Amino acid sequence: MKLLFLSTPVGPLGSGLGGGVELTLLNLAMAMLGRGYELHVVAPAGSVAAQLSILEVGGNLQLTAQTQQRTDPIVLPPDSVLAAMWDLARQKQTQYDLLVNFAYDWLPFYLTPFFKRPIAHLVSMGSLTDAMDAVITQVVEQFPGTIGMHSRAQAETFPFADRCRCLGNGFDLSAYQFCAQPSEAFAWVGRIAPEKGLEDAVLAAKRAAVPLQIFGVIQDEAYWQQINQDHPDAPITYQGFLPTVKLQQALGQCRALLMTPHWLEAFGNVAIEAMACGVPVIAYRRGGPAEIVQDGKTGWLVEPDHIAGLVTAIERIDQIDRLACRRHVEAVYSLAAMGDRVDAWFQDVIHHY
Ligand code: UDP
């Protein structure tokens, strides 16, 4: 069986601009290679993923969907990398049994009926724009079974929730070391952009008087500057965007991960990565994190957008058993468990179309 993965067009693999999709694609690729699939990845030029065979495509990157308003028109820049990636897919499609789309973008959904080979779409975010909802609905209707999501909460933001495959996510847990004895610091990990709500974590750390380490790519420089201006005395340290091997080392030393997104987080890879290191998660009770975190067992779920709830959870963090966090992800979020779910999905799509 041969698979062609089509990556996100918002950034090269390894840049961090693609957010969780980058790691999701890498993990899924490893899982499928491990099962004997042959696999190539089409991705923007400059992509780096040592173990994968990448077909690099040049062109201008796509705008991120999370910066768009609900009724915004569909936008493609001139010399679009997304268009070029799908042109390459069109030319090469007959060499593959299945194409897998990782882009949260209109074009791949629109093009689906024009392709000879089946396309499975792994949707990485909740509903954001009317144009996307409409085009995904068309695919659901014409090609039932080809839409995958990460969480129930994510699926339920769309009008076709009951017709999606809910796949969770999976990680190479051998890449994450368990750390039993943390330092004093708490962690926040993610793209630094308004929808991720970093300012709430900064405020909570300030009020609870605990150090906060921040990891991730600065996607919105003005937003980052504003946080620093608003909280010049906050006990925060920016640690940069780290590759997984270094991220897990530093993250493992932290007492808990704070997840404070203002949007409906479709899944939240960083929650699993933290727990894999034995780090409990304090998250708003909304979206993917509310399905991942077991309140009182692997972390605390708090009322969305309430700083006081975060502070209380920070003060109660020692009640969480770090080993229980690691055990839980081993049981549910391993690469093997995700591989089983996705393999079954791919087989269903290949046999049906
Ligand atoms: N990440 C990373 N290094 C960092 C900070 C973040 O590799 O220093 C990665 C992290 O491993 C995760 C992704 O960035 O896979 C963030 O994904 P998540 O699903 O949490 O949120 P998204 O960005 O997709 O909204």
Side-chain angles (χ1 to χ4, degrees):
M1 288 284 183
K2 284 189 80 176
L3 303 173
L4 186 65
F5 279 14
L6 285 116
S7 187
T8 169
V10 305
L13 285 170
S15 69
L17 295 171
V21 177
E22 294 183 27
L23 187 63
T24 300
L25 183 148
L26 183 68
N27 284 337
L28 261 192
M30 298 318 288
M32 293 302 127
L33 287 168
R35 281 157 192 264
Y37 282 88
E38 267 186 69
L39 184 148
H40 294 127
V41 180
V42 178
S47 285
V48 184
Q51 312 92 318
L52 302 183
S53 160
I54 300 185
L55 305 168
E56 290 185 59
V57 175
N60 289 313
L61 298 172
Q62 200 65 6
L63 286 179
T64 55
Q66 58 269 28
T67 59
Q68 289 173 300
Q69 303 299 313
R70 184 147 277 284
T71 54
D72 275 358
I74 296 141
V75 178
L76 278 177
D79 185 25
S80 154
V81 74
L82 178 63
M85 286 166 65
W86 282 85
D87 194 36
L88 185 67
R90 178 185 59 77
Q91 292 170 45
K92 293 195 172 278
Q93 58 178 309
T94 52
Q95 299 172 26
Y96 299 90
D97 298 290
L98 178 71
L99 277 53
V100 184
N101 169 39
F102 289 82
Y104 188 100
D105 216 295
W106 182 85
L107 189 66
F109 291 92
Y110 177 76
L111 290 176
T112 300
F114 298 94
F115 272 74
K116 296 192 188 98
R117 285 289 181 266
I119 303 176
H121 299 269
L122 185 52
V123 179
S124 58
M125 292 185 269
S127 165
L128 290 173
T129 69
D130 292 346
M132 277 297 284
D133 286 10
V135 81
I136 306 176
T137 303
Q138 279 172 22
V139 173
V140 166
E141 279 164 9
Q142 277 191 62
F143 304 98
T146 62
I147 305 293
M149 300 263 170
H150 291 291
S151 70
R152 281 318 324 159
Q154 175 199 7
E156 276 158 18
T157 64
F158 294 98
F160 44 79
D162 53 337
R163 287 178 284 167
C164 305
R165 196 112 168 189
C166 192
L167 300 159
N169 216 344
F171 297 77
D172 174 7
L173 299 175
S174 69
Y176 301 84
Q177 267 177 305
F178 175 71
C179 171
Q181 297 293 338
S183 70
E184 280 308 295
F186 283 69
W188 187 94
V189 186
R191 290 175 294 105
I192 298 177
E195 69 274 12
K196 303 296 274 186
L198 170 59
E199 65 273 36
D200 290 16
V202 171
L203 205 53
K206 198 159 113 174
R207 289 207 191 143
V210 295
L212 181 70
Q213 296 190 0
I214 298 165
F215 305 88
V217 75
I218 298 176
Q219 198 164 39
D220 186 329
E221 181 66 40
Y223 169 70
W224 170 238
Q225 292 306 337
Q226 191 63 49
I227 290 175
N228 283 283
Q229 253 177 46
D230 293 347
H231 308 285
D233 53 344
I236 59 174
T237 317
Y238 177 56
Q239 305 285 15
F241 174 74
L242 304 183
T244 302
V245 62
K246 291 211 165 121
L247 177 66
Q248 65 85 28
Q249 232 167 36
L251 179 56
Q253 308 281 323
C254 295
R255 285 178 68 199
L257 173 75
L258 301 182
M259 284 187 85
T260 50
H262 289 163
W263 72 344
L264 188 136
E265 187 85 29
F267 186 73
N269 280 356
V270 297
I272 311 299
E273 297 182 85
M275 290 197 268
C277 303
V279 177
V281 179
I282 295 171
Y284 288 146
R285 191 188 298 277
R286 171 165 66 203
E291 290 174 31
I292 295 168
V293 177
Q294 299 163 294
D295 194 30
K297 186 157 180 246
T298 56
W300 297 110
L301 289 171
V302 311
E303 193 181 341
D305 311 317
H306 276 64
I307 309 299
L310 296 172
V311 173
T312 307
I314 288 172
E315 288 162 359
R316 296 164 73 198
I317 203 63
D318 289 340
Q319 295 176 29
I320 306 294
D321 173 9
R322 292 173 73 91
L323 198 53
C325 299
R326 171 78 195 189
R327 294 264 183 272
H328 181 61
V329 299
E330 280 171 355
V332 185
Y333 300 104
S334 68
L335 213 50
M338 175 66 166
D340 285 345
R341 295 189 290 267
V342 174
D343 200 356
W345 179 42
F346 286 174
Q347 291 299 334
D348 284 352
V349 174
I350 290 168
H351 289 123
H352 197 267
Y353 294 99

